[in-house]
Amino acid sequence: MSAATQDTAVRTGRITRTFIYVVLIFFALFYLLPFFIMMINSLKPLSEITAGNMMALPKEPTLAPWGAAWSTAQIGVEATGLKPYFLNSILMVVPAVAISTVLGALNGYILTKWRFRGDTVLFGLMLFSCFIPFQIVLIPMARILGMLGLAGSVQGLILVHVVYGIGFATLYFRNYYAAFPTELVKSAMIDGAGFFRIFWRIMLPVSGPIAVVCIIWQFTNIWNDFLFGVSFGGLNAQPVTVALNNLVQSSTGVKEYNVHFAAAILAALPTLLVYIVAGRYFVRGLMAGSVKG
Amino acid sequence: MSFLNIDNVTKSYGNVEVLHRVDIDVQEGEFLVLVGPSGCGKSTLLNMIAGLENITGGTISINNRVVNDVHPSKRNIAMVFQSYALYPNMTVGQNMTFGMEMHGIPKPERERKLADVAKLLQITPLLDRKPGQLSGGQRQRVAMGRALVRDPDVFLFDEPLSNLDAKLRVDMRTEIKKLHQKLGTTIVYVTHDQIEALTLSTRIAVMNKGYVQQLGTPKEIYDDPANMFVASFMGSPSMNLLPARLVEDNGQLAAELTDAGGTGLRLRLSQDGQGLRSHLGKDVILGVRPEAITDAEGADKRAQNLQILRNEVSVTEPAGSDTFVTMSLSGKDCVARMRADAEARPHEVFEFTVNMDKAVLFDPQTEERIDR
Ligand SMILES: Nc1ncnc2c1ncn2[C@@H]1O[C@H](COP(=O)(O)OP(=O)(O)OP(=O)(O)O)[C@@H](O)[C@H]1O
Ligand SMILES: [Mg+2]
């Protein structure tokens, strides 16, 4: 009897499993297809694309569109390619991610281990910032950047993204540290460690997984941001997303689709890279942070 | 003045007072155990001694220094936590020397102390491991080692054995006692296990609902409980508390009870005095420990006042070395602790011998012990 039920369990298991794989493969293909098309077209000379067949593999593969996208394509008034904008993005994203992650970790540490009157209310207010739509803050933010003299600069963009990122970073670290035994902090206090020493020697060394989650999250969000970039980037601090838009939208000359495709892939490359390198931790850390808290 | 002095200390969280006017003196070298049911405020009091909780009212002084506003690291105390609180990212050796490092003690001295204590606790082979690679008993040892290297004035233990399995707990209990005898350091130890309290301590503070119910030596607490709470909390199985009437029998005081059949019976008391006589003719609670009720052969030879009690046995529970025999007295279950081969059988009448020297009387209204 029990053997029989076990048998059917295995058989239904196999059918369900096949079904799951078919669905998963279908969706994987669905999402990979556009990428595949971008890839093959970025390797064709323009004439092959304009001749009609977008879906065909390149007959004469060439890396020229990639070179053009990177360093010679006409963006705005000058033919600089994506290179300077890519650099802008990196100059913006690295400090913004670093600062917001460190601040988030400090906030989480304080909100869980140095509790004070009204700390939950304060945390609630900080969470608010996760849900405020970007559009609402555009005008006040523009005024503040103007007053600080940071309008149109990379520093200004860093500030905007740090302010926006603190909410999520704090949420991640607070939930992670809530599960961290407070007795360890007390023990360290008796041992004579102060506020920063405890943070540095006791908390940070075990914060790896959540730090990775926070970094991936902030990195992708800030790298992919368009609205703040186009609003506050001015002419000198435009990130790569804005440059990509300008390249594709430019109304002069012929549309070099192969260059557009190469540029789009270039602009997406860093986030892809971050996911591939740290993706495992992302899933693991998300779970760790969300189980307790 | 005593070594650790807790003077009139209260603790409130917002409007809720969780500790009420606690007064405890601890002499140097004493082993004080704070014992009580969950939520009675033991950990809170210990944390206040450690400086991890603010003191709402009163003063705490250690070694003649008021420490109310002294930072935990400057109180010269060491604490062992229930979860051991070992730093997971550091090795055992680093865990044990972290405190000394924070206090700026030079490395050679740290190494020397570490080696000494590791040897004392027999954990030298573990020094390079991380806490995650240790068993519960080993972690416990490391946690104690971390406290020991600091040479504190006072050791504070918060339920250090409650995460261990039964056998290991007994072993570690003995080990802690040995350690105390060897080092002679003052210890304050929190537990909710009354056996731990009785075996380890030189003095016990029994707490309930934020009050210290009684402070005394294990013998005082066990033999002369100050009230019915202490009587029932300390000892396992707990003291029998039987409703009775205090009467006079041929000029001597006696407690009148009813047996299983509802017939009255009298047990003559060993004590007499003004305090007791003021309750004459009134309801009282007679407290008798299970081991004071035996068969005739098992009775204490040195007892002055052994009373015979014939009653029907309701249940017998053999437990290896002892047999627990239950009967009904004054409508309550009354447990007797007998030698294993005592001949009590369920539903038969048995002749119990009660050592009335060990009996105590309580006032049913105030629940306090009635002194003679
Ligand atoms: N931060 C707090 N805010 C409000 N009440 C608290 C707080 N911490 C403890 N209490 C209350 O104080 C009382 C004493 O708590 P404490 O932790 O000292 O109990 P305990 O005797 O150690 O119990 P246990 O054996 O369960 O550890 C409890 O009633 C608890 O609810
Ligand atoms: Mg406790």
Side-chain angles (χ1 to χ4, degrees):
Chain A
M1 181 65 202
S2 72
T5 43
Q6 226 169 31
D7 213 350
T8 54
V10 170
R11 224 178 299 142
T12 46
R14 208 168 280 152
I15 291 166
T16 326
R17 191 161 290 235
T18 319
F19 176 74
I20 290 172
Y21 276 121
V22 168
V23 171
L24 285 178
I25 289 168
F26 171 77
F27 277 108
L29 286 178
F30 187 78
Y31 283 108
L32 280 174
L33 200 61
F35 184 70
F36 173 73
I37 290 176
M38 282 170 73
M39 203 67 200
I40 54 173
N41 284 299
S42 72
L43 295 171
K44 290 177 193 169
L46 187 58
S47 55
E48 275 187 41
I49 300 177
T50 43
N53 203 345
M54 270 258 227
M55 305 297 279
L57 290 173
K59 283 191 214 90
E60 295 164 43
T62 166
L63 282 174
W66 286 73
W70 180 246
S71 52
T72 60
Q74 179 90 17
I75 294 173
V77 281
E78 283 172 75
T80 57
L82 283 182
K83 197 164 66 177
Y85 305 96
F86 201 89
L87 193 69
N88 278 346
S89 272
I90 287 181
L91 287 179
M92 165 186 80
V93 82
V94 171
V97 168
I99 295 172
S100 61
T101 304
V102 168
L103 288 179
L106 265 176
N107 286 343
Y109 169 52
I110 294 169
L111 286 170
T112 53
K113 304 302 169 204
W114 297 82
R115 307 203 46 185
F116 51 90
R117 202 178 286 271
D119 55 359
T120 38
V121 176
L122 188 72
F123 177 56
L125 291 176
M126 291 185 92
L127 279 191
F128 239 44
S129 71
C130 302
F131 304 113
I132 296 178
F134 280 21
Q135 295 80 342
I136 291 182
V137 297
L138 282 182
I139 291 170
M141 191 59 90
R143 254 194 76 69
I144 288 174
L145 289 179
M147 284 186 330
L148 293 175
L150 293 176
S153 70
V154 171
Q155 289 89 330
L157 280 175
I158 293 173
L159 178 71
V160 174
H161 285 298
V162 166
V163 169
Y164 231 92
I166 283 179
F168 268 112
T170 303
L171 170 69
Y172 284 140
F173 278 97
R174 198 211 77 110
N175 287 357
Y176 188 75
Y177 288 155
F180 185 89
T182 305
E183 285 192 344
L184 281 177
V185 176
K186 290 183 173 174
S187 182
M189 271 170 78
I190 293 178
D191 272 341
F195 178 88
F196 283 108
R197 209 85 80 96
I198 294 175
F199 182 59
W200 188 250
R201 297 282 300 270
I202 313 289
M203 307 291 285
L204 270 191
V206 295
S207 307
I210 201 66
V212 169
V213 169
C214 188
I215 288 170
I216 293 182
W217 177 267
Q218 301 286 22
F219 189 94
T220 38
N221 271 340
I222 299 175
W223 185 272
N224 288 335
D225 162 71
F226 177 77
L227 190 60
F228 285 155
V230 78
S231 311
F232 306 129
L235 287 176
N236 304 320
Q238 282 177 354
V240 73
T241 43
V242 177
L244 181 65
N245 176 64
N246 291 350
L247 169 71
V248 176
Q249 300 286 326
S250 69
S251 48
T252 50
V254 271
K255 293 233 182 234
E256 296 183 293
Y257 292 111
N258 51 355
V259 176
H260 297 177
F261 283 130
I265 296 173
L266 272 176
L269 224 45
T271 47
L272 264 177
L273 211 68
V274 167
Y275 264 112
I276 290 166
V277 171
R280 285 178 291 150
Y281 298 98
F282 186 66
V283 176
R284 221 184 286 161
L286 265 187
M287 302 308 280
S290 60
V291 172
K292 274 199 181 175
Chain B
M1 191 152 151
S2 52
F3 194 69
L4 165 64
N5 189 22
I6 301 167
D7 185 18
N8 215 349
V9 163
T10 56
K11 174 72 186 177
S12 308
Y13 289 109
N15 299 327
V16 189
E17 197 171 280
V18 296
L19 279 178
H20 321 276
R21 299 186 165 271
V22 174
D23 275 308
I24 297 176
D25 279 336
V26 185
Q27 303 302 324
E28 184 155 17
E30 259 199 290
F31 197 130
L32 175 80
V33 172
L34 305 175
V35 68
S38 190
C40 70
K42 311 177 291 284
S43 300
T44 307
L45 184 57
L46 198 74
N47 284 336
M48 284 160 84
I49 300 173
L52 300 171
E53 295 272 5
N54 295 325
I55 299 168
T56 312
T59 56
I60 293 181
S61 44
I62 299 174
N63 206 354
N64 293 318
R65 177 172 65 133
V66 175
V67 292
N68 281 35
D69 299 317
V70 178
H71 189 266
S73 65
K74 306 257 159 62
R75 293 187 180 200
N76 207 14
I77 48 121
M79 188 153 171
V80 177
F81 292 89
Q82 181 172 2
S83 63
Y84 314 138
L86 300 177
Y87 310 126
N89 56 310
M90 300 185 198
T91 65
V92 167
Q94 289 165 339
N95 259 286
M96 288 170 62
T97 51
F98 184 69
M100 290 191 282
E101 189 192 331
M102 292 297 115
H103 281 84
I105 292 170
K107 187 145 194 202
E109 197 182 333
R110 300 204 302 249
E111 297 294 330
R112 194 175 48 75
K113 276 252 182 83
L114 175 65
D116 286 352
V117 172
K119 195 162 152 235
L120 177 73
L121 293 172
Q122 298 164 351
I123 49 175
T124 313
L126 308 178
L127 290 182
D128 292 325
R129 294 212 205 153
K130 294 273 177 75
Q133 303 163 318
L134 300 178
S135 72
Q138 291 169 332
R139 279 179 217 182
Q140 165 67 45
R141 249 174 243 264
V142 174
M144 290 204 314
R146 190 170 62 176
L148 280 175
V149 291
R150 304 197 39 204
D151 262 333
D153 284 339
V154 183
F155 278 118
L156 307 174
F157 288 89
D158 192 353
E159 309 212 15
L161 304 184
S162 57
N163 283 342
L164 303 178
D165 65 53
K167 165 135 176 35
L168 199 54
R169 197 178 310 166
V170 175
D171 293 348
M172 288 307 291
R173 198 167 75 196
T174 317
E175 204 151 312
I176 291 179
K177 185 142 189 174
K178 273 193 204 145
L179 211 58
H180 176 245
Q181 282 167 354
K182 192 144 143 199
L183 304 173
T185 318
T186 313
I187 295 181
V188 181
Y189 185 106
V190 163
T191 180
H192 59 249
D193 179 346
Q194 42 92 22
I195 303 204
E196 241 170 62
L198 290 168
T199 49
L200 284 173
S201 65
T202 59
R203 272 199 308 157
I204 301 176
V206 184
M207 299 179 61
N208 190 29
K209 297 189 177 145
Y211 290 96
V212 174
Q213 301 284 336
Q214 188 174 4
L215 176 64
T217 64
K219 190 169 162 51
E220 283 166 1
I221 300 273
Y222 194 75
D223 287 343
D224 290 314
N227 54 42
M228 283 165 62
F229 173 78
V230 177
S232 58
F233 189 76
M234 302 299 288
S236 168
S238 65
M239 187 184 254
N240 297 299
L241 295 170
L242 309 165
R245 266 168 81 79
L246 191 62
V247 294
E248 198 166 10
D249 191 0
N250 292 330
Q252 287 186 303
L253 291 179
E256 192 174 65
L257 305 130
T258 52
D259 70 10
T263 323
L265 60 91
R266 287 182 171 187
L267 297 174
R268 192 159 55 74
L269 299 186
S270 304
Q271 315 102 307
D272 200 338
Q274 217 38 61
L276 282 172
R277 288 204 171 256
S278 67
H279 285 263
L280 204 59
K282 294 192 191 146
D283 286 340
V284 291
I285 301 286
L286 175 69
V288 192
R289 294 253 174 231
E291 61 270 21
I293 311 176
T294 55
D295 58 347
E297 289 81 2
D300 185 351
K301 299 290 175 296
R302 283 174 302 172
Q304 308 276 316
N305 176 16
L306 293 175
Q307 300 277 305
I308 305 296
L309 187 162
R310 291 176 58 79
N311 199 3
E312 188 189 310
V313 172
S314 43
V315 183
T316 62
E317 293 166 280
S321 58
D322 301 312
T323 298
F324 294 103
V325 179
T326 310
M327 63 178 144
S328 171
L329 265 185
S330 296
K332 297 253 180 192
D333 276 347
C334 174
V335 179
R337 180 184 209 145
M338 304 203 182
R339 22 182 216 111
D341 37 11
E343 281 166 359
R345 310 230 184 298
H347 311 302
E348 284 177 17
V349 172
F350 186 77
E351 201 161 85
F352 295 90
T353 303
V354 186
N355 178 1
M356 290 301 285
D357 292 352
K358 298 273 185 185
V360 242
L361 289 181
F362 299 98
D363 183 328
Q365 256 79 54
T366 64
E367 305 206 337
E368 298 292 312
R369 187 183 66 223
I370 305 171
D371 288 311
R372 75 204 82 140

